[in-house]
Amino acid sequence: MNAQQLLPEPDDRADVEGRIAVVGMAGRFPKADSVDALWELLAAGTEAVSRFSAEELRTDGVAESEYTHPRYVPAKGVLDDVAGFDSTLFGYGALEASVIDPQQRVFLETAWAALEDAGCDPDRAAGPIGVYAGSLLSTYLIHNLLPRTDLREKLGVPLLFQGNQPDQLAARAAYKLNLRGPAVSVQTACSTSLVAVHLAVQSLLSQECDMALAGGVTVTVPHRSGYLPVEGGIESADGHCKPYGANAAGTVFGNGAGVVVLKRLADALADGDRVHAVILGSAVNNDGADKAGYTAPSVSGQSAVIREALSVADVAPRSIGYVEGHGTATPIGDPIEVEALTAAYRAADDRPDAAPGAWCGLGSVKSNLGHLDTAAGITGFIKAVQALRHGRIPASLHVDAAEPGVGLSGSPFFVPTDLTDWPVTDGPRRAAVSAFGIGGTNAHVILEQAPATADAPAGASPAGAPADVPVALPLSARTSTALDSVAGRLADHLAAHPELALADVARTLRDGRRRL
């Protein structure tokens, strides 16, 4: 594709100034091992929270005294093959890899996949690449490593801690992926990965780096496990997460990872990159002391961060067709979130005299996957990007349209209960994403669908390109086994997308993949 065709006209320079392109995405989620598989799961309205038998719980190390309790809920969103790791690809020996937190292993692989989706080889990148990301406290260290006296004696406790400290996540990725920009591990509880997106955006706008990875990961062990809900707690007694529903009664936790690759929009267009979506603006704040307690949410804090993001993006609330909310389905959290959203949207409404009624969809990916904690914000962000790309808004599960949740009646928001078409009408599709962390760190991001010329599938051929010309497809891997796997995945992808031009695919394989 001719990059000159993608450059905006001089009169449109304001349309790219201060805007950030999403040029790569990757993720692993419960029952979905990629961002495309996630979209298929969401579009189908599938719940991906797993239920476990007593045998599965016992095998994974859950104590019998726990899973036999009458109120124990054997439910969690889990990943496939959480123990698997391509240690050879990243230059680790078997023993060293085995004592690294699975969160950090999964994040490395996901970041690698996101860079490949962006067509970026860091070794040949012209400018610095940053990384902003976060993970949970390592339960692997607590349950699997520290009890092992043989490992403590052989490797020493400092090495065990080094492979499992959350503050090493970004630095490890920078080292293994050769990223020379800022490497910052973020820790703001369940808003972590959306805060990471905001920080990456700010780093790009201040010219600290020319590309940035942002995301988060949560992997807790025992992997197959449930929980014992307590009276007045935040966990669901029936193992379902029902955000914004009248019967919302708690959340369900799960494991997952997501990474996006960001770039200044002007640079992405000039380089001919595929753009998944555009970030128009973002904001982060904290509730301060204006709330009932440390773990309680705040209407004023959440409303303020939403208003600030709208102001930075310089868009009217009525131009936003969908909000991917925090939506933990707790009886206190959801009504406060809806009240804060409503207050922010009413205050910024450019058409206050318009007919009342709901115009904006509101949903939460937690209804499908459960609460992925430090990976929750980036998962909601990826869902919103996919909705913009596909022009459809997925259903939010476990909600009765005839019985809206607390605060929704008379608000600008409705909860879609079916997969809904999202046509382009008066302007480009726009979405917003919220994440609110325990402790009060709030994040809100405003997204817009990609410019039409920048949203073509990677490898798509421009009109008039020659067809049926023999093309060599260069592949590279660390081992012969990995090479066979790469070749198989490429063959499957080409079979699924016969419209791709092989010359463009070859160029991406040559220039956008690391030479191994």
Side-chain angles (χ1 to χ4, degrees):
M1 183 175 293
N2 185 349
Q4 295 302 317
Q5 296 174 339
L6 303 180
L7 284 172
E9 295 295 326
D11 292 346
D12 296 331
R13 179 55 58 181
D15 290 340
V16 300
E17 203 66 41
R19 298 188 174 188
I20 300 298
V22 181
V23 297
M25 299 191 297
R28 291 177 58 188
F29 314 97
K31 298 186 180 179
D33 61 1
S34 69
V35 295
D36 289 336
L38 174 65
W39 174 252
E40 292 173 5
L41 182 149
L42 296 173
T46 301
E47 184 184 39
V49 175
S50 297
R51 267 73 180 169
F52 311 112
S53 66
E55 179 60 30
E56 288 175 313
L57 295 168
R58 181 167 53 251
T59 300
D60 268 36
V62 179
E64 185 175 359
S65 59
E66 289 185 46
Y67 67 75
T68 56
H69 192 286
R71 289 192 292 109
Y72 186 83
V73 181
K76 186 179 179 181
V78 296
L79 301 179
D80 290 335
D81 192 22
V82 73
F85 178 59
D86 193 347
S87 56
T88 303
L89 175 64
F90 295 101
Y92 285 114
L95 178 60
E96 186 179 10
S98 72
V99 297
I100 296 173
D101 186 0
Q103 294 182 109
Q104 303 209 20
R105 297 183 231 160
V106 169
F107 184 81
L108 273 177
E109 292 183 326
T110 306
W112 181 288
L115 285 167
E116 288 201 334
D117 187 64
C120 173
D121 175 7
D123 289 345
R124 288 177 280 172
I129 301 173
V131 54
Y132 295 81
S135 62
L136 274 180
L137 170 75
S138 175
T139 54
Y140 183 70
L141 175 69
I142 296 169
H143 291 287
N144 293 60
L145 300 181
L146 290 181
R148 293 273 303 273
T149 56
D150 59 324
L151 288 177
R152 297 205 308 270
E153 292 173 0
K154 185 172 185 177
L155 300 175
V157 171
L159 183 59
L160 297 183
F161 273 85
Q162 186 185 87
N164 289 268
Q165 290 177 202
D167 62 7
Q168 299 295 302
L169 180 74
R172 185 181 303 279
Y175 172 56
K176 286 299 180 181
L177 299 174
N178 193 23
L179 311 179
R180 297 179 298 279
V184 181
S185 293
V186 182
Q187 295 286 279
T188 63
C190 28
S191 63
T192 289
S193 50
L194 199 63
V195 171
V197 170
H198 169 79
L199 294 175
V201 167
Q202 297 306 306
S203 184
L204 287 162
L205 294 177
S206 65
Q207 306 289 323
E208 283 185 326
C209 57
D210 291 333
M211 186 176 282
L213 280 69
V217 59
T218 293
V219 178
T220 58
V221 297
H223 193 50
R224 291 177 177 81
S225 61
Y227 55 90
L228 189 62
V230 298
E231 189 70 29
I234 64 171
E235 291 168 312
S236 167
D238 65 3
H240 298 284
C241 188
K242 308 168 184 176
Y244 313 118
N247 58 348
T251 202
V252 181
F253 287 94
N255 292 339
V259 177
V260 294
V261 182
L262 308 179
K263 194 173 183 178
R264 288 180 290 272
L265 178 58
D267 294 343
L269 294 176
D271 293 341
D273 293 326
R274 174 181 59 176
V275 178
H276 295 297
V278 176
I279 298 174
L280 301 181
S282 64
V284 167
N285 75 356
N286 191 275
D287 295 334
D290 185 21
K291 54 185 181 179
Y294 179 72
T295 62
S298 161
V299 171
S300 61
Q302 290 182 16
S303 182
V305 81
I306 295 164
R307 291 198 307 271
E308 183 180 352
L310 286 167
S311 176
V312 171
D314 193 23
V315 297
R318 285 184 182 266
S319 71
I320 296 172
Y322 177 68
V323 173
E324 173 62 20
H326 187 60
T328 55
T330 57
I332 295 176
D334 280 12
I336 285 178
E337 181 180 359
V338 172
E339 183 179 351
L341 273 166
T342 300
Y345 272 47
R346 294 291 192 217
D349 192 359
D350 61 335
R351 294 168 54 196
D353 298 327
W359 76 78
C360 184
L362 173 65
S364 172
V365 74
K366 295 177 182 66
S367 71
N368 304 88
L369 308 181
H371 189 350
L372 305 189
D373 211 294
T374 44
I378 195 65
T379 303
F381 181 93
I382 290 170
K383 174 188 172 182
V385 170
Q386 292 285 54
L388 289 168
R389 292 183 69 211
H390 290 274
R392 309 184 86 184
I393 298 174
S396 204
L397 308 184
H398 314 302
V399 172
D400 184 352
E403 191 177 2
V406 176
L408 284 170
S409 294
S411 80
F413 305 100
F414 65 92
V415 179
T417 55
D418 296 293
L419 182 65
T420 305
D421 288 335
W422 188 1
V424 175
T425 52
D426 296 334
R429 287 187 289 267
R430 288 177 181 154
V433 187
S434 289
F436 309 126
I438 285 177
T441 299
N442 309 309
H444 196 71
V445 177
I446 309 295
L447 288 162
E448 183 176 280
Q449 71 180 104
T453 52
D455 193 29
S461 177
D468 300 326
V469 176
V471 175
L473 301 178
L475 298 178
S476 180
R478 194 76 75 187
T479 66
S480 58
T481 301
L483 186 63
D484 289 342
S485 177
V486 169
R489 292 200 303 272
L490 177 61
D492 291 343
H493 184 75
L494 293 177
H497 298 279
E499 76 281 2
L500 297 181
L502 290 184
D504 291 342
V505 173
R507 185 173 66 249
T508 298
L509 292 171
R510 182 180 65 248
D511 300 333
R513 298 290 183 269
R514 180 167 291 186
R515 296 168 180 171
L516 301 174

